[in-house]
Amino acid sequence: MDGVLLSFDIAGVDATGGVGAQGLDLSDAVRRMEEYIPQVIVEAAVERFIIINNTQKSFTLTTTSTMNDTVDKLVIFLAKRDGIDKLVKTFQYVSKLVNWQVETTHPDLANRFKQWEVSSGLGRKAFRTGRFLTGFNGLRRNPGATPTFKFLAVLANAGEMVYFFFDHFLWLSRIGTLDAKLAKRMSFISAFGESFGYIFFIVSDLIIMKQGVEAERKLIALQEEEENSKDAKEKIRKIRGDRVMRLMAVAANVADLIIAAAEIEPNPFCNHPLSLGISGLVSAWAGWYRNWPS
């Protein structure tokens, strides 16, 4: 409304700055414009703020409502290095099992799956470039709460660092960048470091799970004495959740230990395609569970 009145006021001013038909001089019109323009700017800014605020609220509600969406979780999972590694590891050992199953009946198909297995294995080695730094950084940042755990962490991470470091040379020798004769030696050193580290990771997880069981029993006893103890219930829930994750870690490490043993000391059990295939899938799927977004 003020804008309409203002336009009428300006229309009443002649081009020479004199007084028009409505008797309004130029200075009065300018004053009215100065009063009106800031008001328009403020109103526009307020309207813009309301629109942006409503948009942000809508986005927040949408994000919250889709937190449990499987596709969103899959995208997050595959964005992680461990996530893509577990997916390709699944490809690797599924193709190994299929190759073993159809090797005698469908040689051509078996050869295709063998190529898929080899390609997946080499791809995983490429993805693990620089992975040995993870163990080093773990020791540097969080070596353990007690001397026992520090000792176990040093041994476990040292073995893992050897595994991932020499795995680089194994990969380069397998693809032909380095002498192919190095592959067998690099494979042995890498597998030895892997198995050495996994033993101490398993021991560490078992000790923590044992401590968790003892703490849970105490909390259950406390909960029976004090009814409706929300704090105790929450602690029990966290202990059980941690135990499940550590069980998955132990399962994965035992499975990988079998695979490493097949390389270090070949034997009919560990080197059987069925043993290797199942072990690889157990390790991969335990990793899926541990890395899947909650």
Side-chain angles (χ1 to χ4, degrees):
M1 184 65 182
D2 288 340
V4 175
L5 293 174
L6 181 60
S7 63
F8 286 154
D9 291 342
I10 295 173
V13 181
D14 60 23
T16 61
V19 179
Q22 296 184 9
L24 179 68
D25 60 17
L26 183 60
S27 61
D28 192 24
V30 171
R31 180 182 59 78
R32 293 286 298 276
M33 289 177 66
E34 289 175 346
E35 292 175 354
Y36 173 69
I37 290 173
Q39 182 181 356
V40 173
I41 294 173
V42 170
E43 289 176 354
V46 170
E47 184 178 358
R48 181 177 178 81
F49 172 77
I50 292 171
I51 293 172
I52 292 173
N53 193 39
N54 289 337
T55 303
Q56 288 177 341
K57 287 181 179 179
S58 176
F59 176 76
T60 303
L61 290 172
T62 304
T63 304
T64 304
S65 63
T66 57
M67 281 298 289
N68 293 324
D69 186 84
T70 304
V71 176
D72 288 338
K73 290 184 177 182
L74 182 60
V75 170
I76 295 170
F77 175 77
L78 294 179
K80 302 176 183 178
R81 174 152 62 173
D82 282 342
I84 196 69
D85 179 71
K86 301 314 172 191
L87 176 63
V88 179
K89 191 171 188 177
T90 301
F91 295 157
Q92 180 182 358
Y93 287 98
V94 165
S95 58
K96 176 180 278 294
L97 289 172
V98 174
N99 171 55
W100 168 68
Q101 186 67 25
V102 302
E103 189 174 13
T104 55
T105 56
H106 300 85
D108 292 340
L109 184 61
N111 184 55
R112 293 179 185 179
F113 277 95
K114 182 64 178 178
Q115 290 176 348
W116 191 12
E117 176 196 346
V118 173
S119 176
S120 298
L122 292 175
R124 289 183 60 224
K125 293 183 186 303
F127 296 147
R128 293 198 293 258
T129 302
R131 181 68 182 274
F132 68 94
L133 293 173
T134 303
F136 172 74
N137 200 47
L139 289 175
R140 192 169 66 97
R141 293 294 184 186
N142 186 23
T146 65
T148 300
F149 283 115
K150 287 180 181 178
F151 176 72
L152 291 172
V154 168
L155 294 176
N157 284 284
E160 189 179 63
M161 282 189 284
V162 169
Y163 161 46
F164 286 124
F165 182 76
F166 284 93
D167 198 49
H168 297 343
F169 298 104
L170 174 59
W171 169 52
L172 292 173
S173 60
R174 288 269 173 86
I175 63 176
T177 304
L178 296 179
D179 189 350
K181 294 178 181 178
L182 290 173
K184 187 172 181 61
R185 185 180 301 174
M186 294 300 104
S187 179
F188 179 85
I189 296 172
S190 178
F192 184 83
E194 179 184 17
S195 58
F196 181 85
Y198 285 151
I199 289 170
F200 294 102
F201 277 126
I202 292 169
V203 171
S204 179
D205 282 328
L206 290 175
I207 292 173
I208 293 174
M209 283 193 291
K210 181 176 179 294
Q211 292 176 347
V213 170
E214 293 173 354
E216 183 182 355
R217 287 173 180 171
K218 292 179 181 178
L219 288 169
I220 291 173
L222 179 65
Q223 191 177 9
E224 291 175 353
E225 294 175 1
E226 301 177 8
E227 295 182 359
N228 299 324
S229 177
K230 293 183 179 179
D231 187 45
K233 288 181 180 178
E234 181 64 20
K235 288 180 179 179
I236 290 171
R237 187 187 65 80
K238 288 181 179 179
I239 289 172
R240 289 175 177 173
D242 180 73
R243 186 187 306 146
V244 171
M245 288 297 182
R246 292 191 182 279
L247 280 171
M248 292 295 105
V250 169
N253 288 336
V254 169
D256 286 329
L257 189 59
I258 292 173
I259 297 172
E263 185 64 36
I264 298 169
E265 188 65 36
N267 59 83
F269 173 74
C270 292
N271 288 80
H272 194 281
L274 185 61
S275 299
L276 291 173
I278 292 175
S279 297
L281 290 178
V282 167
S283 175
W285 292 341
W288 271 79
Y289 185 87
R290 293 175 65 205
N291 288 282
W292 189 257
S294 57

